[in-house]
Amino acid sequence: MIPRVLLGTAQVPGGGELRLLQRGAEFSIMLGANELMNSRLSGSEEALAEQACDRIGDRPGVRMLIGGLGMGFTLRAALARLGPDAEVAVAEIVPAVIEWARGPMAALHGDSLTDPRTRIFEGDVAAAIAEGDWDAILLDVDNGPDGISRPGNDRLYGARGLSQARAALRPGGVLAVWSSAPSKPFVTRLAEAGFAVDEVIARATRKGGARHTIWFATRA
C-alpha cells in the first residue's frame, strides 16, 4: 500500500490543526481524526454548486459567494455552469488552504483560481455575506450546521446568521448549505428565518458513496 505523506499543517482560527496528506494522486485534508475532504469524493460538493445554479436560473451578472475553498470542487462546478459575466467570490479563512490550492494541489484546481470570474480572498465568510446583493450563498465551511472545525461557525447557522444571509440575498436568491448529516432543527430554523426550504440528498461520488445533505433555502 502506498503510504500517506504529510504535505503541510495549518492552524484553524479558534483551535485545531488541519493536515494536508497525499497518497499517490489522492489528497485528503484532516482535522484530528476527521477527514474533512478527499480528492476522490467530489459528488456532493459539485451538486452544491450545480443545483444552486439551477435554482437561480439564467439571469445576467450572477453574483455567487462560496464559503470555503477546500479542494475547489464547488468553485469549479459553479464556473462550469455560470456565464461569462458572473462573479464567484470564495472566502477561505485558513491561508494555508489557499496556498495548498496554488501549490501541491494546483493540478487539482486547474485554471479555476485564475479564471477572471473568480475572486478568492482570505477571511471569514460572515463578513463577505454582509456585503450583500448576492444571488447565491453557498456554505461548505464545516461538516454542517453542527460545526466541528470552528465553534464560531455556529453563528452562521443560528437564527441571527440565517436572517443576515436572507437579507444579503437578492429576491429569488438561494442559500445553499452542505452537511454530512441531516438536521431537523436546522430545517426549522431556515423556515423560521423566512426561507422556502428544499432538502436534497447527494452522494459523495457520482456512482454512490456516503449520503450527504444539502439544503437549498430560497428567498421568496
Side-chain angles (χ1 to χ4, degrees):
M1 178 180 292
I2 301 174
R4 277 185 169 182
V5 177
L6 178 65
L7 299 181
T9 62
Q11 292 300 310
V12 177
E17 182 183 72
L18 294 181
R19 291 176 292 133
L20 175 63
L21 301 163
Q22 182 177 11
R23 175 186 287 146
E26 174 188 336
F27 294 92
S28 62
I29 294 179
M30 306 285 294
L31 176 68
N34 295 300
E35 184 176 64
L36 298 182
M37 58 201 80
N38 186 292
S39 59
R40 295 185 297 105
L41 308 175
S42 62
S44 59
E45 286 87 350
E46 292 165 348
L48 178 69
E50 292 168 353
Q51 295 195 38
C53 288
D54 290 345
R55 284 166 169 78
I56 61 176
D58 185 16
R59 60 178 77 180
V62 167
R63 296 189 74 236
M64 176 180 286
L65 171 63
I66 298 176
L69 173 61
M71 293 185 174
F73 299 126
T74 302
L75 171 60
R76 294 197 298 280
L79 292 172
R81 288 290 183 98
L82 295 173
D85 60 346
E87 174 193 354
V88 184
V90 183
E92 175 53 60
I93 200 166
V94 182
V97 172
I98 302 173
E99 295 171 7
W100 295 341
R102 292 174 173 150
M105 293 194 293
L108 182 65
H109 285 264
D111 60 1
S112 62
L113 304 183
T114 57
D115 190 297
R117 297 170 293 173
T118 300
R119 176 165 63 97
I120 295 178
F121 60 94
E122 176 192 334
D124 194 327
V125 69
I129 289 173
E131 290 182 16
D133 204 33
W134 301 107
D135 292 289
I137 300 170
L138 282 54
L139 297 180
D140 184 9
V141 297
D142 214 317
N143 266 18
D146 301 318
I148 64 168
S149 292
R150 297 182 63 230
N153 288 339
D154 289 341
R155 76 188 188 284
L156 295 171
Y157 307 119
R160 183 176 179 183
L162 295 177
S163 177
Q164 291 172 337
R166 186 180 183 279
L169 288 168
R170 293 170 173 173
V174 172
L175 170 67
V177 180
W178 183 98
S179 178
S180 62
S183 172
K184 290 183 179 179
F186 184 62
V187 173
T188 299
R189 291 200 298 274
L190 285 169
E192 289 174 345
F195 286 105
V197 186
D198 186 13
E199 182 176 291
V200 172
I201 300 300
R203 305 304 287 265
T205 74
R206 297 291 183 176
K207 295 182 179 180
R211 297 165 63 89
H212 299 147
T213 302
I214 305 174
W215 295 283
F216 296 97
T218 303
R219 174 180 175 174

